[in-house]
Amino acid sequence: MCGRTACTLAPNELSRAARYRDRTGQRRQPRWKDGDADKYRPSYNKSPQSFNPVLLSNKHFNKLFNETLPVGFPAMRWGLIPAWFRENDPSKMQYSTSNCRSESLLEKKSYKDPFLKGQRCVILADGFYEWKRREKEKQPFFIYFPQSQGDQVPSQQNTQKTESDLDQGEVAPDQDDIDWTGWRLLTIAGLFDSWTPPGGGETLYTYTVITVDASPDIQSIHDRMPAVLDGEDEVRRWLDFGEVKSLEAMKLLQPKFSLTFHPVSSLVNNSRNNSPECLQPIDPTVKK
């Protein structure tokens, strides 16, 4: 499962960190949907119902938001509200949709409809948290992509420094001579839907994280894990619903052996705790 993530980068940092190559090999940089950067709040401890950055195909982006971008960033709320939900209050959903088992994509209407419509997205995060049962308590772990030499677990100090640098000006989308050298973001396969209250009102865009059986190295912590997309080609194929049809895209939903992890403080158990200490490695054998 995936019940908590961390996404600590500032909006401009996220745009730089999510740079990718399109079908032609051209380097692209996603842009935020107009105004949505203000909905997103960097956090060391994100839980369902929070707004988080996702990547969408330009075909979806242009249709939904009437904005012409190569690949766009809307800020979507975690926890899918199906388009067919008939209550006026989304909090009246009677079951959790923050996670969706890959085995259920074609079984449950909430997920089958958006999946077959190609409503695929990629959720961005520094990493995710998972809990391993130890005797009478659970030990939390932070799980993420291995980083290049010199990269560190994101910290408030690192983020503030980069935000200050970015204040000098935003990087143009096709400046190939400027490379992002910060934290490598985790890219997670998801589905999204758009819901409008039956009585009228603003459309709410929401998503669910797809989960798969855990890889052998993660099974020591938990039996499920998010469906991680490893590398630009997998991300592009998951987003490109025009070229890669639904049943073909399902082949991308596999356990990944490309992750690393470390134990973290029990501070993360409470979603109200939001500080760099949530991510810092600890020695679980040392008594508090």
Side-chain angles (χ1 to χ4, degrees), residues 60 80-84 100-121 189-194 206-212 227 229 237-242 244-254:
H60 283 312
L80 188 140
I81 305 298
W84 48 261
C100 165
R101 297 173 68 93
S102 60
E103 302 90 332
S104 302
L105 286 181
L106 296 176
E107 296 175 3
K108 297 184 177 181
K109 181 177 174 61
S110 297
Y111 310 127
K112 180 179 179 179
D113 288 357
F115 181 62
L116 294 181
K117 291 177 182 177
Q119 292 173 195
R120 308 194 298 251
C121 63
L191 298 174
F192 77 91
D193 212 342
S194 56
T206 58
Y207 72 88
T208 184
V209 170
I210 299 174
T211 66
V212 295
L229 301 166
R237 291 170 62 202
W238 180 254
L239 291 178
D240 194 348
F241 65 96
V244 183
K245 302 304 181 184
S246 297
L247 295 182
E248 183 68 19
M250 288 188 73
K251 298 177 183 178
L252 296 170
L253 305 177
Q254 302 292 334

Short mmCIF file of all heavy atoms in Angstrom, two decimals, residues 60 80-84 100-121 189-194 206-212 227 229 237-242 244-254:
data_model
loop_
_atom_site.label_atom_id
_atom_site.label_comp_id
_atom_site.label_asym_id
_atom_site.label_seq_id
_atom_site.Cartn_x
_atom_site.Cartn_y
_atom_site.Cartn_z
N HIS A 60 -4.58 15.16 -22.39
CA HIS A 60 -5.50 15.38 -21.27
C HIS A 60 -5.44 16.83 -20.82
O HIS A 60 -6.46 17.46 -20.54
CB HIS A 60 -5.12 14.48 -20.09
CG HIS A 60 -5.54 13.06 -20.24
ND1 HIS A 60 -6.81 12.69 -20.64
CD2 HIS A 60 -4.87 11.90 -20.03
CE1 HIS A 60 -6.89 11.37 -20.67
NE2 HIS A 60 -5.73 10.88 -20.30
N LEU A 80 -9.20 9.24 -5.03
CA LEU A 80 -10.00 9.41 -6.24
C LEU A 80 -11.49 9.51 -5.95
O LEU A 80 -12.05 8.68 -5.25
CB LEU A 80 -9.72 8.25 -7.21
CG LEU A 80 -10.32 8.36 -8.60
CD1 LEU A 80 -9.34 7.85 -9.66
CD2 LEU A 80 -11.62 7.56 -8.70
N ILE A 81 -12.11 10.55 -6.48
CA ILE A 81 -13.57 10.70 -6.46
C ILE A 81 -14.08 10.41 -7.87
O ILE A 81 -13.78 11.16 -8.80
CB ILE A 81 -14.00 12.12 -6.03
CG1 ILE A 81 -13.37 12.51 -4.69
CG2 ILE A 81 -15.52 12.22 -5.97
CD1 ILE A 81 -13.79 11.63 -3.53
N PRO A 82 -14.80 9.31 -8.08
CA PRO A 82 -15.25 8.95 -9.43
C PRO A 82 -16.18 10.01 -10.01
O PRO A 82 -16.93 10.67 -9.29
CB PRO A 82 -16.00 7.63 -9.22
CG PRO A 82 -15.58 7.13 -7.87
CD PRO A 82 -15.25 8.34 -7.06
N ALA A 83 -16.14 10.14 -11.31
CA ALA A 83 -16.98 11.12 -11.99
C ALA A 83 -18.46 10.85 -11.74
O ALA A 83 -19.28 11.78 -11.75
CB ALA A 83 -16.69 11.11 -13.50
N TRP A 84 -18.81 9.58 -11.49
CA TRP A 84 -20.22 9.21 -11.33
C TRP A 84 -20.72 9.39 -9.89
O TRP A 84 -21.90 9.17 -9.61
CB TRP A 84 -20.46 7.76 -11.77
CG TRP A 84 -19.47 6.77 -11.22
CD1 TRP A 84 -18.38 6.27 -11.85
CD2 TRP A 84 -19.48 6.17 -9.91
NE1 TRP A 84 -17.69 5.39 -11.03
CE2 TRP A 84 -18.35 5.31 -9.83
CE3 TRP A 84 -20.32 6.28 -8.80
CZ2 TRP A 84 -18.06 4.56 -8.69
CZ3 TRP A 84 -20.02 5.54 -7.67
CH2 TRP A 84 -18.90 4.69 -7.62
N CYS A 100 -5.12 1.87 -5.25
CA CYS A 100 -5.85 0.95 -6.12
C CYS A 100 -4.94 -0.22 -6.45
O CYS A 100 -3.84 -0.02 -6.98
CB CYS A 100 -6.28 1.67 -7.40
SG CYS A 100 -6.80 0.56 -8.72
N ARG A 101 -5.36 -1.42 -6.14
CA ARG A 101 -4.58 -2.60 -6.47
C ARG A 101 -4.57 -2.81 -7.99
O ARG A 101 -5.60 -2.69 -8.64
CB ARG A 101 -5.15 -3.84 -5.78
CG ARG A 101 -5.10 -3.77 -4.25
CD ARG A 101 -5.83 -4.94 -3.63
NE ARG A 101 -5.14 -6.19 -3.86
CZ ARG A 101 -4.25 -6.74 -3.04
NH1 ARG A 101 -3.95 -6.11 -1.90
NH2 ARG A 101 -3.67 -7.89 -3.32
N SER A 102 -3.40 -3.08 -8.55
CA SER A 102 -3.30 -3.28 -9.99
C SER A 102 -4.21 -4.41 -10.46
O SER A 102 -4.73 -4.38 -11.58
CB SER A 102 -1.85 -3.58 -10.39
OG SER A 102 -1.38 -4.76 -9.75
N GLU A 103 -4.44 -5.40 -9.58
CA GLU A 103 -5.29 -6.53 -9.94
C GLU A 103 -6.76 -6.13 -10.06
O GLU A 103 -7.56 -6.87 -10.63
CB GLU A 103 -5.16 -7.63 -8.87
CG GLU A 103 -3.75 -8.14 -8.64
CD GLU A 103 -2.99 -7.37 -7.56
OE1 GLU A 103 -3.29 -6.17 -7.37
OE2 GLU A 103 -2.10 -7.96 -6.94
N SER A 104 -7.12 -4.94 -9.53
CA SER A 104 -8.52 -4.52 -9.51
C SER A 104 -8.85 -3.48 -10.58
O SER A 104 -9.97 -2.98 -10.62
CB SER A 104 -8.87 -3.93 -8.13
OG SER A 104 -8.63 -4.87 -7.11
N LEU A 105 -7.89 -3.16 -11.44
CA LEU A 105 -8.11 -2.08 -12.40
C LEU A 105 -9.31 -2.34 -13.30
O LEU A 105 -10.01 -1.40 -13.69
CB LEU A 105 -6.86 -1.90 -13.28
CG LEU A 105 -5.65 -1.23 -12.62
CD1 LEU A 105 -4.52 -1.11 -13.62
CD2 LEU A 105 -6.02 0.14 -12.08
N LEU A 106 -9.55 -3.60 -13.63
CA LEU A 106 -10.64 -3.92 -14.54
C LEU A 106 -11.83 -4.53 -13.82
O LEU A 106 -12.77 -5.03 -14.45
CB LEU A 106 -10.15 -4.88 -15.64
CG LEU A 106 -9.07 -4.30 -16.56
CD1 LEU A 106 -8.57 -5.36 -17.54
CD2 LEU A 106 -9.60 -3.09 -17.30
N GLU A 107 -11.80 -4.50 -12.48
CA GLU A 107 -12.88 -5.12 -11.70
C GLU A 107 -13.79 -4.09 -11.04
O GLU A 107 -14.99 -4.33 -10.92
CB GLU A 107 -12.28 -6.04 -10.63
CG GLU A 107 -11.50 -7.22 -11.19
CD GLU A 107 -10.84 -8.04 -10.09
OE1 GLU A 107 -11.03 -7.70 -8.89
OE2 GLU A 107 -10.11 -9.00 -10.42
N LYS A 108 -13.24 -2.99 -10.59
CA LYS A 108 -14.01 -2.00 -9.85
C LYS A 108 -14.29 -0.78 -10.73
O LYS A 108 -13.37 -0.21 -11.32
CB LYS A 108 -13.28 -1.59 -8.58
CG LYS A 108 -13.08 -2.76 -7.61
CD LYS A 108 -12.43 -2.32 -6.32
CE LYS A 108 -12.31 -3.48 -5.34
NZ LYS A 108 -11.68 -3.07 -4.06
N LYS A 109 -15.55 -0.40 -10.79
CA LYS A 109 -15.98 0.69 -11.67
C LYS A 109 -15.21 1.98 -11.41
O LYS A 109 -14.89 2.73 -12.34
CB LYS A 109 -17.48 0.92 -11.51
CG LYS A 109 -18.06 2.03 -12.40
CD LYS A 109 -19.55 2.13 -12.24
CE LYS A 109 -20.13 3.32 -13.00
NZ LYS A 109 -19.88 3.22 -14.45
N SER A 110 -14.89 2.24 -10.13
CA SER A 110 -14.19 3.49 -9.79
C SER A 110 -12.87 3.61 -10.53
O SER A 110 -12.42 4.71 -10.86
CB SER A 110 -13.93 3.54 -8.28
OG SER A 110 -15.13 3.56 -7.56
N TYR A 111 -12.22 2.46 -10.80
CA TYR A 111 -10.92 2.46 -11.44
C TYR A 111 -11.01 2.04 -12.91
O TYR A 111 -10.24 2.51 -13.74
CB TYR A 111 -9.97 1.53 -10.69
CG TYR A 111 -9.94 1.78 -9.21
CD1 TYR A 111 -10.15 0.76 -8.29
CD2 TYR A 111 -9.73 3.07 -8.71
CE1 TYR A 111 -10.14 0.99 -6.92
CE2 TYR A 111 -9.72 3.32 -7.35
CZ TYR A 111 -9.92 2.27 -6.46
OH TYR A 111 -9.92 2.51 -5.11
N LYS A 112 -11.95 1.15 -13.22
CA LYS A 112 -12.07 0.65 -14.59
C LYS A 112 -12.40 1.77 -15.56
O LYS A 112 -11.79 1.87 -16.64
CB LYS A 112 -13.15 -0.43 -14.66
CG LYS A 112 -13.35 -1.01 -16.05
CD LYS A 112 -14.44 -2.09 -16.04
CE LYS A 112 -14.67 -2.66 -17.43
NZ LYS A 112 -15.71 -3.72 -17.42
N ASP A 113 -13.34 2.64 -15.19
CA ASP A 113 -13.73 3.72 -16.10
C ASP A 113 -12.56 4.63 -16.45
O ASP A 113 -12.26 4.83 -17.64
CB ASP A 113 -14.88 4.53 -15.49
CG ASP A 113 -16.20 3.77 -15.49
OD1 ASP A 113 -16.23 2.64 -16.03
OD2 ASP A 113 -17.19 4.30 -14.95
N PRO A 114 -11.85 5.21 -15.47
CA PRO A 114 -10.73 6.09 -15.85
C PRO A 114 -9.59 5.32 -16.53
O PRO A 114 -8.94 5.86 -17.42
CB PRO A 114 -10.28 6.70 -14.51
CG PRO A 114 -10.88 5.86 -13.45
CD PRO A 114 -12.12 5.27 -14.02
N PHE A 115 -9.38 4.05 -16.13
CA PHE A 115 -8.30 3.29 -16.75
C PHE A 115 -8.56 3.07 -18.24
O PHE A 115 -7.69 3.29 -19.08
CB PHE A 115 -8.12 1.96 -16.03
CG PHE A 115 -7.00 1.12 -16.59
CD1 PHE A 115 -5.69 1.58 -16.55
CD2 PHE A 115 -7.25 -0.13 -17.15
CE1 PHE A 115 -4.65 0.81 -17.08
CE2 PHE A 115 -6.23 -0.90 -17.66
CZ PHE A 115 -4.92 -0.43 -17.64
N LEU A 116 -9.77 2.63 -18.57
CA LEU A 116 -10.08 2.37 -19.97
C LEU A 116 -10.18 3.65 -20.79
O LEU A 116 -10.06 3.62 -22.01
CB LEU A 116 -11.38 1.56 -20.07
CG LEU A 116 -11.30 0.13 -19.51
CD1 LEU A 116 -12.63 -0.58 -19.69
CD2 LEU A 116 -10.18 -0.66 -20.18
N LYS A 117 -10.41 4.78 -20.13
CA LYS A 117 -10.43 6.08 -20.83
C LYS A 117 -9.02 6.67 -20.99
O LYS A 117 -8.86 7.75 -21.55
CB LYS A 117 -11.31 7.07 -20.07
CG LYS A 117 -12.79 6.74 -20.09
CD LYS A 117 -13.57 7.74 -19.25
CE LYS A 117 -15.05 7.40 -19.20
NZ LYS A 117 -15.80 8.33 -18.30
N GLY A 118 -8.03 5.95 -20.48
CA GLY A 118 -6.66 6.44 -20.59
C GLY A 118 -6.31 7.53 -19.62
O GLY A 118 -5.35 8.28 -19.84
N GLN A 119 -7.07 7.64 -18.51
CA GLN A 119 -6.82 8.72 -17.55
C GLN A 119 -5.70 8.32 -16.59
O GLN A 119 -5.89 8.13 -15.40
CB GLN A 119 -8.12 9.06 -16.82
CG GLN A 119 -9.13 9.71 -17.76
CD GLN A 119 -10.49 9.93 -17.14
OE1 GLN A 119 -11.46 10.19 -17.86
NE2 GLN A 119 -10.61 9.84 -15.83
N ARG A 120 -4.51 8.20 -17.19
CA ARG A 120 -3.34 7.77 -16.44
C ARG A 120 -2.50 8.99 -16.06
O ARG A 120 -2.38 9.94 -16.83
CB ARG A 120 -2.50 6.79 -17.28
CG ARG A 120 -3.34 5.64 -17.83
CD ARG A 120 -2.51 4.50 -18.37
NE ARG A 120 -1.65 4.79 -19.46
CZ ARG A 120 -1.82 4.38 -20.73
NH1 ARG A 120 -2.92 3.67 -21.05
NH2 ARG A 120 -0.94 4.65 -21.67
N CYS A 121 -1.92 8.95 -14.89
CA CYS A 121 -1.08 10.06 -14.43
C CYS A 121 0.15 9.49 -13.73
O CYS A 121 0.21 8.30 -13.43
CB CYS A 121 -1.86 10.98 -13.49
SG CYS A 121 -2.41 10.22 -11.96
N ALA A 189 2.91 5.30 -10.78
CA ALA A 189 1.76 5.20 -11.69
C ALA A 189 0.47 5.41 -10.92
O ALA A 189 0.26 4.86 -9.84
CB ALA A 189 1.75 3.83 -12.37
N GLY A 190 -0.42 6.21 -11.51
CA GLY A 190 -1.71 6.45 -10.89
C GLY A 190 -2.79 6.63 -11.93
O GLY A 190 -2.54 6.66 -13.14
N LEU A 191 -4.03 6.76 -11.45
CA LEU A 191 -5.18 7.08 -12.28
C LEU A 191 -5.82 8.35 -11.71
O LEU A 191 -5.77 8.58 -10.50
CB LEU A 191 -6.22 5.96 -12.25
CG LEU A 191 -5.79 4.59 -12.78
CD1 LEU A 191 -6.90 3.57 -12.53
CD2 LEU A 191 -5.45 4.65 -14.26
N PHE A 192 -6.44 9.14 -12.58
CA PHE A 192 -7.12 10.33 -12.10
C PHE A 192 -8.55 10.37 -12.65
O PHE A 192 -8.89 9.68 -13.60
CB PHE A 192 -6.35 11.60 -12.51
CG PHE A 192 -6.52 11.99 -13.96
CD1 PHE A 192 -7.54 12.86 -14.35
CD2 PHE A 192 -5.68 11.48 -14.93
CE1 PHE A 192 -7.70 13.23 -15.68
CE2 PHE A 192 -5.84 11.84 -16.27
CZ PHE A 192 -6.85 12.70 -16.64
N ASP A 193 -9.37 11.19 -12.01
CA ASP A 193 -10.72 11.42 -12.50
C ASP A 193 -11.11 12.85 -12.15
O ASP A 193 -10.48 13.49 -11.30
CB ASP A 193 -11.71 10.43 -11.89
CG ASP A 193 -12.85 10.09 -12.84
OD1 ASP A 193 -13.06 10.85 -13.82
OD2 ASP A 193 -13.54 9.07 -12.63
N SER A 194 -12.14 13.33 -12.82
CA SER A 194 -12.65 14.67 -12.55
C SER A 194 -14.11 14.54 -12.11
O SER A 194 -14.89 13.81 -12.74
CB SER A 194 -12.53 15.57 -13.78
OG SER A 194 -13.18 14.98 -14.90
N THR A 206 -8.89 14.48 -8.86
CA THR A 206 -8.34 13.61 -7.81
C THR A 206 -7.63 12.43 -8.45
O THR A 206 -7.82 12.12 -9.63
CB THR A 206 -9.45 13.08 -6.90
OG1 THR A 206 -10.42 12.36 -7.69
CG2 THR A 206 -10.15 14.23 -6.17
N TYR A 207 -6.80 11.75 -7.64
CA TYR A 207 -6.05 10.61 -8.17
C TYR A 207 -5.95 9.50 -7.14
O TYR A 207 -6.18 9.71 -5.93
CB TYR A 207 -4.65 11.04 -8.61
CG TYR A 207 -3.71 11.35 -7.46
CD1 TYR A 207 -2.93 10.36 -6.86
CD2 TYR A 207 -3.59 12.66 -6.96
CE1 TYR A 207 -2.08 10.65 -5.80
CE2 TYR A 207 -2.74 12.96 -5.91
CZ TYR A 207 -1.98 11.95 -5.35
OH TYR A 207 -1.14 12.23 -4.30
N THR A 208 -5.58 8.32 -7.64
CA THR A 208 -5.29 7.17 -6.78
C THR A 208 -3.94 6.61 -7.15
O THR A 208 -3.53 6.66 -8.32
CB THR A 208 -6.38 6.09 -6.90
OG1 THR A 208 -6.12 5.03 -5.98
CG2 THR A 208 -6.44 5.51 -8.30
N VAL A 209 -3.22 6.09 -6.17
CA VAL A 209 -1.92 5.44 -6.38
C VAL A 209 -2.15 3.96 -6.67
O VAL A 209 -2.81 3.27 -5.90
CB VAL A 209 -1.02 5.60 -5.14
CG1 VAL A 209 0.23 4.73 -5.25
CG2 VAL A 209 -0.64 7.06 -4.93
N ILE A 210 -1.60 3.48 -7.77
CA ILE A 210 -1.71 2.05 -8.10
C ILE A 210 -0.64 1.29 -7.32
O ILE A 210 0.52 1.70 -7.25
CB ILE A 210 -1.54 1.82 -9.61
CG1 ILE A 210 -2.65 2.56 -10.38
CG2 ILE A 210 -1.58 0.33 -9.95
CD1 ILE A 210 -2.49 2.51 -11.88
N THR A 211 -1.03 0.15 -6.73
CA THR A 211 -0.09 -0.66 -5.98
C THR A 211 0.05 -2.05 -6.60
O THR A 211 -0.86 -2.54 -7.28
CB THR A 211 -0.50 -0.82 -4.51
OG1 THR A 211 -1.73 -1.56 -4.43
CG2 THR A 211 -0.69 0.55 -3.85
N VAL A 212 1.20 -2.67 -6.34
CA VAL A 212 1.50 -4.02 -6.84
C VAL A 212 2.10 -4.82 -5.68
O VAL A 212 2.38 -4.29 -4.61
CB VAL A 212 2.50 -3.97 -8.01
CG1 VAL A 212 1.89 -3.25 -9.21
CG2 VAL A 212 3.81 -3.28 -7.60
N ALA A 227 3.21 1.19 -7.64
CA ALA A 227 3.69 0.79 -8.96
C ALA A 227 4.64 1.87 -9.47
O ALA A 227 4.21 2.88 -10.02
CB ALA A 227 2.53 0.59 -9.92
N LEU A 229 7.42 3.69 -11.72
CA LEU A 229 7.86 3.76 -13.11
C LEU A 229 9.32 4.19 -13.09
O LEU A 229 9.64 5.29 -12.61
CB LEU A 229 7.01 4.75 -13.90
CG LEU A 229 5.51 4.42 -13.92
CD1 LEU A 229 4.71 5.62 -14.42
CD2 LEU A 229 5.22 3.18 -14.76
N ARG A 237 5.64 6.18 -21.62
CA ARG A 237 4.69 5.18 -22.09
C ARG A 237 3.44 5.14 -21.23
O ARG A 237 2.33 4.94 -21.73
CB ARG A 237 5.36 3.80 -22.14
CG ARG A 237 6.44 3.69 -23.23
CD ARG A 237 7.24 2.42 -23.09
NE ARG A 237 6.38 1.26 -23.26
CZ ARG A 237 6.68 0.05 -22.78
NH1 ARG A 237 7.79 -0.14 -22.08
NH2 ARG A 237 5.86 -0.96 -22.98
N TRP A 238 3.58 5.33 -19.94
CA TRP A 238 2.40 5.33 -19.07
C TRP A 238 1.51 6.54 -19.37
O TRP A 238 0.29 6.44 -19.40
CB TRP A 238 2.81 5.33 -17.60
CG TRP A 238 1.64 5.33 -16.66
CD1 TRP A 238 1.19 6.37 -15.91
CD2 TRP A 238 0.76 4.23 -16.39
NE1 TRP A 238 0.10 6.00 -15.19
CE2 TRP A 238 -0.20 4.69 -15.46
CE3 TRP A 238 0.69 2.91 -16.84
CZ2 TRP A 238 -1.23 3.88 -14.97
CZ3 TRP A 238 -0.33 2.10 -16.36
CH2 TRP A 238 -1.28 2.58 -15.44
N LEU A 239 2.14 7.68 -19.64
CA LEU A 239 1.36 8.89 -19.92
C LEU A 239 0.76 8.89 -21.31
O LEU A 239 -0.32 9.45 -21.53
CB LEU A 239 2.24 10.13 -19.75
CG LEU A 239 2.70 10.48 -18.34
CD1 LEU A 239 3.62 11.70 -18.37
CD2 LEU A 239 1.52 10.74 -17.42
N ASP A 240 1.41 8.26 -22.27
CA ASP A 240 1.00 8.35 -23.67
C ASP A 240 -0.11 7.34 -23.97
O ASP A 240 0.11 6.30 -24.58
CB ASP A 240 2.21 8.11 -24.58
CG ASP A 240 1.94 8.52 -26.02
OD1 ASP A 240 0.77 8.77 -26.36
OD2 ASP A 240 2.89 8.59 -26.81
N PHE A 241 -1.32 7.68 -23.55
CA PHE A 241 -2.45 6.74 -23.70
C PHE A 241 -2.89 6.61 -25.15
O PHE A 241 -3.58 5.65 -25.51
CB PHE A 241 -3.64 7.19 -22.84
CG PHE A 241 -4.24 8.51 -23.26
CD1 PHE A 241 -5.35 8.54 -24.08
CD2 PHE A 241 -3.69 9.70 -22.83
CE1 PHE A 241 -5.93 9.75 -24.46
CE2 PHE A 241 -4.25 10.92 -23.21
CZ PHE A 241 -5.38 10.94 -24.03
N GLY A 242 -2.46 7.54 -26.01
CA GLY A 242 -2.79 7.43 -27.43
C GLY A 242 -1.98 6.36 -28.12
O GLY A 242 -2.48 5.58 -28.94
N VAL A 244 0.12 4.01 -26.33
CA VAL A 244 0.18 2.80 -25.50
C VAL A 244 -1.20 2.54 -24.92
O VAL A 244 -1.64 3.25 -24.00
CB VAL A 244 1.23 2.96 -24.37
CG1 VAL A 244 1.34 1.67 -23.56
CG2 VAL A 244 2.59 3.34 -24.96
N LYS A 245 -1.89 1.56 -25.43
CA LYS A 245 -3.25 1.26 -25.00
C LYS A 245 -3.26 0.66 -23.60
O LYS A 245 -2.23 0.24 -23.07
CB LYS A 245 -3.93 0.32 -26.00
CG LYS A 245 -3.99 0.87 -27.42
CD LYS A 245 -4.68 2.23 -27.46
CE LYS A 245 -4.77 2.78 -28.88
NZ LYS A 245 -5.34 4.15 -28.91
N SER A 246 -4.45 0.60 -23.02
CA SER A 246 -4.58 0.25 -21.60
C SER A 246 -3.97 -1.10 -21.26
O SER A 246 -3.21 -1.21 -20.29
CB SER A 246 -6.07 0.27 -21.21
OG SER A 246 -6.61 1.57 -21.35
N LEU A 247 -4.29 -2.14 -22.01
CA LEU A 247 -3.79 -3.47 -21.67
C LEU A 247 -2.28 -3.56 -21.83
O LEU A 247 -1.61 -4.29 -21.09
CB LEU A 247 -4.49 -4.53 -22.53
CG LEU A 247 -6.00 -4.66 -22.29
CD1 LEU A 247 -6.59 -5.77 -23.16
CD2 LEU A 247 -6.30 -4.93 -20.81
N GLU A 248 -1.73 -2.80 -22.77
CA GLU A 248 -0.28 -2.76 -22.94
C GLU A 248 0.35 -2.01 -21.76
O GLU A 248 1.41 -2.39 -21.24
CB GLU A 248 0.08 -2.08 -24.25
CG GLU A 248 1.56 -2.05 -24.57
CD GLU A 248 2.15 -3.42 -24.87
OE1 GLU A 248 1.38 -4.36 -25.19
OE2 GLU A 248 3.38 -3.55 -24.76
N ALA A 249 -0.30 -0.94 -21.32
CA ALA A 249 0.22 -0.15 -20.20
C ALA A 249 0.26 -0.96 -18.91
O ALA A 249 1.11 -0.73 -18.05
CB ALA A 249 -0.63 1.10 -20.01
N MET A 250 -0.64 -1.94 -18.77
CA MET A 250 -0.67 -2.75 -17.56
C MET A 250 0.65 -3.49 -17.34
O MET A 250 1.02 -3.80 -16.21
CB MET A 250 -1.83 -3.74 -17.61
CG MET A 250 -3.19 -3.11 -17.43
SD MET A 250 -4.53 -4.33 -17.25
CE MET A 250 -4.21 -4.92 -15.59
N LYS A 251 1.37 -3.77 -18.43
CA LYS A 251 2.64 -4.49 -18.31
C LYS A 251 3.69 -3.68 -17.59
O LYS A 251 4.70 -4.22 -17.13
CB LYS A 251 3.13 -4.89 -19.71
CG LYS A 251 2.20 -5.83 -20.46
CD LYS A 251 2.70 -6.12 -21.86
CE LYS A 251 1.72 -7.01 -22.63
NZ LYS A 251 2.18 -7.25 -24.02
N LEU A 252 3.48 -2.35 -17.50
CA LEU A 252 4.42 -1.50 -16.78
C LEU A 252 4.25 -1.60 -15.27
O LEU A 252 5.12 -1.14 -14.52
CB LEU A 252 4.23 -0.04 -17.21
CG LEU A 252 4.55 0.30 -18.67
CD1 LEU A 252 4.07 1.71 -19.00
CD2 LEU A 252 6.04 0.16 -18.94
N LEU A 253 3.12 -2.16 -14.84
CA LEU A 253 2.81 -2.20 -13.41
C LEU A 253 3.44 -3.45 -12.79
O LEU A 253 2.79 -4.48 -12.61
CB LEU A 253 1.29 -2.20 -13.21
CG LEU A 253 0.55 -1.04 -13.89
CD1 LEU A 253 -0.95 -1.17 -13.68
CD2 LEU A 253 1.06 0.31 -13.36
N GLN A 254 4.71 -3.35 -12.48
CA GLN A 254 5.48 -4.48 -11.96
C GLN A 254 6.24 -4.07 -10.70
O GLN A 254 6.59 -2.89 -10.54
CB GLN A 254 6.49 -4.96 -13.02
CG GLN A 254 5.87 -5.39 -14.34
CD GLN A 254 5.04 -6.65 -14.22
OE1 GLN A 254 5.28 -7.47 -13.32
NE2 GLN A 254 4.07 -6.82 -15.11
#
